[in-house]
Amino acid sequence: MKIKILLLTTIIIATVIFLYLLIYRTGKIDRHALVSRHNVTLTDFNSLAPLSVGNGSFTFTADLTGLQTFGDFYEQGIPLNTMAEWSWHSFPNTQGYKYEDTAVDVNTHGRPVWYNLIRESPAAAYFRANPHRVNLGQIGFALLEEDNLPVTADDLENIRQTLDLWKGVLFSNFEFAGEQIEVETLCPPRLDMVTVRVKSPLVKSGRLTIAVKFPYAAGEWGPMASNWNEPEKHTTRILESDKQSVLLLRQMDDLKYYCGLNFSDGEMKEKSKHDYRLIPAGGSDTFEFCVWFSTDRIESSIPNFQQAKNDCQNNWEQFWTTGGAIDLSQSKDARWRELERRIVLSQYLTAIQSAQKYPPAETGLMCNSWFGKFHLEMHWWHGVHFALWDRVDMFEKSLGWYEEILPEAKKLATSQGYAGARWPKMVGPGGQDSPSNIGPLLIWQQPHPIYYAEMVYRQKPTNETLEKYGEIVQQSAEFMASFAHYNKGRKCFELGPPLLSAREFDINDFEQTKNPTFELAYWAWGLRTANQWRQRMGLSPDANWETIAENLASLPVQDGIYVEQETPLVADGGHPCMLAAYGFLPKSKAVDTETMRKTLKYVMQNWNYEETWGWDYPMIAMTAARLGEPNIAIDALLLDTPKNTYLPNGHNFQTAELPIYLPGNGGLLTAVAMMSAGWDGSQSDAPGFPADGNWTVKYEGLKKMP
């Protein structure tokens, strides 16, 4: 009897402890405190730390004045831009370049298949650069010294700028010529508009006006989106003007858009071509104005400052009080604050520029990189976190685009002799793959739409979801099955040649490269998942898909660890993408757990991290979490290496040419959601965090990863 009582008591105590931990770790989080302790405050000019406001499809990036006053200073860091999801431009094709001029035939199992691999030619240069994203306009202060000399950043004093994340409002305070200037900058939801309130005696004295300038398109690789040196190539025209509003028409080759200004009281004057001054009437020390951009004239009423501010604050409060949250503040490990800062700021940064109609570019709506084009293999890192953080609707905003470009993707597959749809790599809104000696040979973006559809279905298991994404899943799988080649001698299906793995090394060996580890695992997962979709839709599984999934080549192993690909083998640098076969993906029978564990430890100890990129660290962390190596997961997320740098504004810095990198932010959010809420089949609470007492993880609203 005593033994039974003791056993019952032990069970009760264990249950109470478990329930306490469950309630504590998943209990109500003080979300306002969580978010607000990571508000960004700046007091010195830093060309790598401008702050942005936005709404997902429109972003305005400001300097310490709250506007874009000192654009020249930021050109060597992160340029100050105003960008929208629709701000795309193409230079006129005056030479009549043809897309097929960028193609070469590549031997593919005895037949020629064309790939647009020519990069160094006038035609290739044109199609790589077009279309490109542009800066819609630069809005800054025109401050006047008493002697009318130009003002520099050094002329400002007592600067303090704070981005209030909970409200989505940028507060800027500084002194000029001995007078205080207070600025509030925000972007309301649903409008491509920046709204500003300025309070200063300089408004009343006439020494503070607003400069509105418009550049031509740069169309270059790199952060710059603006060309200020060719004013004759574009036009700016005032269509309407009165004491409280101005409407301008912009024409830049094929891009036509309107810029409207609404303000409390003042007038607009043209200073020079594409350069205007909005001059307050001077009856008050407060001036409110908004600047909106649109491809169509906005006939409806524009909200005033207070209305816009209310809409903005309500929108952000709803964002922060719904969806997922992770609170690490009671952890003993000193690294908790930096990890939590990255988590909170990454949510903000992806919300203001990655919830748009198109898959985001690596640099989002802040600046350009690959001409502002987006890379479809990166869309996973940009968007999957939205689903895991219970914000799947934000992810779905960009998924409809795959349906739009389906004809282009099917055309590409057909032209190469394949079935289904072959998704491009580096693209603009039209979905045409850009010429490159790398991009057209990548294949790991092909199963992505199946993964996206599955993430939506997990939260919306309805016939509507099946109808919405069923064709995308079907066409993706059709291409994947068609692309796999049966090797009679080895009695297995192979991937490639030609191809390049996700690692993108040894680009000249694409005619020998085959069977990359991650892509093999992803192919099997994608085909099996596509068959699950067929069954959900009342169709029979495709026997060929299942045969291929069951008989793909074995994952290549050398010296007891998984390697990037079967042949040729390369050195230890770049993306350690073989880890993604178990981490990014769930466990499959093709993966040996202990071999993957040895691979993980080898990467941590021997890899050349100078050659890695921002999404590699969350990728490593996900593999470590699934393998039950939580200490490695934390170490990977916070690895001290240049491309794992997170700037004061929360952006993931890579290089001077690529100063921000949203795949790093999105990947971080995916990894920490998985490490907290777990994955299908995981049992313990917060399985990706060490259970040694140094980490206390409170979370809520997160979804399990597949």
Side-chain angles (χ1 to χ4, degrees):
M1 178 64 70
K2 290 182 178 180
I3 295 175
K4 290 183 178 180
I5 293 174
L6 181 62
L7 180 61
L8 181 60
T9 302
T10 302
I11 293 173
I12 292 172
I13 293 173
T15 302
V16 170
I17 292 173
F18 173 77
L19 290 174
Y20 170 78
L21 290 173
L22 182 64
I23 292 171
Y24 176 73
R25 287 196 168 189
T26 61
K28 192 69 175 176
I29 292 172
D30 184 342
R31 295 197 177 202
H32 182 267
L34 165 64
V35 173
S36 297
R37 64 174 163 259
H38 300 292
N39 287 343
V40 183
T41 297
L42 304 174
T43 56
D44 294 301
F45 277 88
N46 180 347
S47 65
L48 288 173
L51 298 176
S52 303
V53 293
N55 57 24
S57 59
F58 174 83
T59 299
F60 179 84
T61 300
D63 62 22
L64 285 179
T65 67
L67 295 179
Q68 299 163 332
T69 306
F70 300 108
D72 292 348
F73 177 84
Y74 287 82
E75 287 185 0
Q76 299 306 312
I78 300 173
L80 306 181
N81 290 308
T82 306
M83 290 183 165
E85 63 182 10
W86 51 264
S87 57
W88 292 92
H89 166 266
S90 290
F91 297 127
N93 187 0
T94 57
Q95 301 299 314
Y97 296 124
K98 297 180 180 179
Y99 189 65
E100 52 266 31
D101 293 339
T102 68
V104 295
D105 285 336
V106 179
N107 179 39
T108 306
H109 306 294
R111 68 182 182 89
V113 174
W114 77 269
Y115 285 84
N116 54 329
L117 299 178
I118 296 177
R119 179 169 175 171
E120 304 300 328
S121 74
Y126 178 82
F127 288 109
R128 279 181 63 79
N130 293 284
H132 44 261
R133 201 182 294 279
V134 299
N135 177 15
L136 293 172
Q138 189 174 89
I139 318 298
F141 287 116
L143 299 168
L144 298 178
E145 292 276 21
E146 291 184 350
D147 53 9
N148 289 326
L149 288 175
V151 175
T152 68
D154 292 335
D155 295 316
L156 306 189
E157 296 179 327
N158 298 323
I159 301 168
R160 185 176 180 84
Q161 182 180 64
T162 297
L163 175 60
D164 188 321
L165 298 167
W166 188 263
K167 297 178 179 179
V169 179
L170 183 61
F171 296 93
S172 307
N173 294 273
F174 56 95
E175 290 181 10
F176 171 70
E179 299 288 359
Q180 185 76 17
I181 301 176
E182 300 175 9
V183 187
E184 294 179 59
T185 312
L186 57 96
C187 177
R190 296 175 295 280
L191 286 174
D192 298 339
M193 183 173 79
V194 59
T195 304
V196 182
R197 172 187 282 161
V198 185
K199 183 178 182 181
S200 173
L202 296 174
V203 174
K204 198 169 186 178
S205 68
R207 294 183 62 189
L208 183 151
T209 61
I210 310 301
V212 183
K213 304 177 183 179
F214 300 98
Y216 188 58
E220 301 174 352
W221 194 97
M224 286 299 296
S226 304
N227 174 358
W228 299 99
N229 300 318
E230 298 185 272
E232 73 283 355
K233 288 191 173 182
H234 56 121
T235 61
T236 307
R237 185 159 57 96
I238 295 180
L239 298 181
E240 299 174 2
S241 180
D242 59 35
K243 294 297 184 181
Q244 292 187 316
S245 66
V246 172
L247 180 64
L248 301 106
L249 175 64
R250 295 273 298 132
Q251 188 76 46
M252 190 188 305
D253 302 313
D254 64 340
L255 175 62
K256 172 185 174 182
Y257 64 95
Y258 296 88
C259 174
L261 295 93
N262 294 63
F263 39 91
S264 47
D265 191 15
E267 63 176 332
M268 176 78 92
K269 291 185 177 181
E270 183 174 1
K271 183 175 183 291
S272 61
K273 200 169 188 179
H274 313 300
D275 187 353
Y276 298 83
R277 294 294 179 271
L278 176 57
I279 304 170
S284 168
D285 62 0
T286 299
F287 186 61
E288 298 174 354
F289 68 96
C290 72
V291 186
W292 57 263
F293 302 86
S294 176
T295 54
D296 300 306
R297 294 179 68 145
I298 297 180
E299 303 297 342
S300 57
S301 61
I302 301 296
N304 61 34
F305 177 84
Q306 194 57 51
Q307 291 170 332
K309 185 176 180 179
N310 291 341
D311 290 344
C312 175
Q313 293 183 156
N314 291 338
N315 181 64
W316 279 104
E317 184 173 349
Q318 182 181 25
F319 174 82
W320 292 117
T321 54
T322 57
I326 299 175
D327 184 331
L328 304 175
S329 62
Q330 297 198 21
S331 299
K332 296 178 182 177
D333 192 306
R335 296 173 293 176
W336 76 265
R337 180 173 288 275
E338 173 58 17
L339 181 55
E340 191 183 87
R341 181 186 78 91
R342 296 182 183 190
I343 293 169
V344 171
L345 291 179
S346 292
Q347 289 179 78
Y348 177 81
L349 293 172
T350 55
I352 67 172
Q353 54 196 322
S354 297
Q356 54 171 294
K357 177 180 179 180
Y358 305 116
E362 270 88 337
T363 46
L365 295 173
M366 278 192 71
C367 61
N368 279 350
S369 49
W370 283 265
F371 309 97
K373 292 184 178 182
F374 37 94
H375 295 175
L376 292 197
E377 85 281 15
M378 289 292 100
H379 195 192
W380 195 98
W381 298 103
H382 283 289
V384 165
H385 68 90
F386 283 129
L388 297 180
W389 286 75
D390 199 19
R391 294 172 178 139
V392 71
D393 290 344
M394 297 180 75
F395 190 26
E396 283 197 89
K397 288 182 178 181
S398 61
L399 298 187
W401 177 78
Y402 287 88
E403 183 71 29
E404 289 185 19
I405 71 155
L406 182 59
E408 187 70 28
K410 292 175 70 173
K411 178 182 175 182
L412 174 59
T414 300
S415 68
Q416 295 181 328
Y418 297 114
R422 181 166 195 166
W423 305 110
K425 194 273 191 194
M426 173 181 160
V427 296
Q432 187 178 65
D433 208 359
S434 298
S436 170
N437 56 347
I438 296 176
L441 295 162
L442 297 179
I443 62 170
W444 63 293
Q445 72 270 30
Q446 302 307 323
H448 279 352
I450 301 175
Y451 198 107
Y452 307 153
E454 184 68 8
M455 294 300 285
V456 176
Y457 187 80
R458 287 164 69 91
Q459 296 186 37
K460 299 180 180 181
T462 64
N463 288 331
E464 181 182 359
T465 299
L466 295 174
E467 292 173 4
K468 190 173 184 179
Y469 300 110
E471 183 68 9
I472 297 299
V473 170
Q474 174 77 22
Q475 294 300 324
S476 298
E478 289 282 6
F479 170 79
M480 292 166 61
S482 178
F483 185 82
H485 173 74
Y486 187 69
N487 186 323
K488 294 180 181 179
R490 296 177 61 178
K491 296 182 180 179
C492 67
F493 288 91
E494 298 184 326
L495 301 181
L499 62 74
L500 287 175
S501 82
R503 189 162 172 270
E504 299 185 15
F505 268 50
D506 285 355
I507 61 177
N508 295 321
D509 292 327
F510 65 87
E511 292 182 281
Q512 290 80 45
T513 300
K514 66 177 181 179
N515 296 332
T517 297
F518 169 43
E519 286 83 341
L520 285 170
Y522 206 6
W523 235 247
W525 182 92
L527 290 172
R528 291 190 178 111
T529 304
N531 259 339
Q532 292 176 8
W533 270 66
R534 286 182 62 85
Q535 291 177 299
R536 292 167 184 163
M537 297 173 72
L539 303 172
S540 299
D542 189 301
N544 185 45
W545 298 356
E546 183 59 31
T547 297
I548 294 171
E550 286 290 321
N551 295 280
L552 284 164
S554 299
L555 306 187
V557 176
Q558 180 175 307
D559 298 329
I561 64 171
Y562 288 115
V563 289
E564 171 200 0
Q565 59 201 23
E566 189 171 305
T567 182
L569 296 175
V570 292
D572 300 333
H575 305 299
C577 48
M578 60 279 188
L579 295 177
Y582 183 39
F584 178 112
L585 294 173
K587 179 73 167 64
S588 72
K589 60 184 179 182
V591 175
D592 177 73
T593 302
E594 291 310 307
T595 302
M596 188 61 77
R597 192 185 313 278
K598 291 178 183 177
T599 308
L600 170 67
K601 292 182 177 180
Y602 179 87
V603 168
M604 290 299 292
Q605 295 168 8
N606 300 285
W607 213 250
N608 179 4
Y609 284 99
E610 294 294 321
E611 296 177 347
T612 51
W613 294 82
W615 56 268
D616 291 327
Y617 319 114
M619 179 182 68
I620 296 170
M622 290 189 289
T623 300
R626 290 196 197 256
L627 288 170
E629 301 282 355
N631 285 297
I632 295 180
I634 293 293
D635 289 344
L637 287 183
L638 295 168
L639 198 65
D640 185 11
T641 190
K643 291 180 183 176
N644 199 30
T645 299
Y646 279 72
L647 300 168
N649 54 15
H651 274 293
N652 180 205
F653 178 84
Q654 302 295 287
T655 66
E657 293 77 24
L658 191 60
I660 66 174
Y661 193 64
L662 286 173
N665 298 95
L668 170 73
L669 293 175
T670 299
V672 294
M674 173 194 182
M675 291 163 63
S676 300
W679 51 90
D680 293 347
S682 65
Q683 300 298 321
S684 60
D685 188 45
F689 285 85
D692 57 6
N694 288 319
W695 288 91
T696 301
V697 184
K698 290 179 67 175
Y699 65 89
E700 59 191 28
L702 301 175
K703 303 294 183 181
K704 283 183 178 290
M705 196 167 179

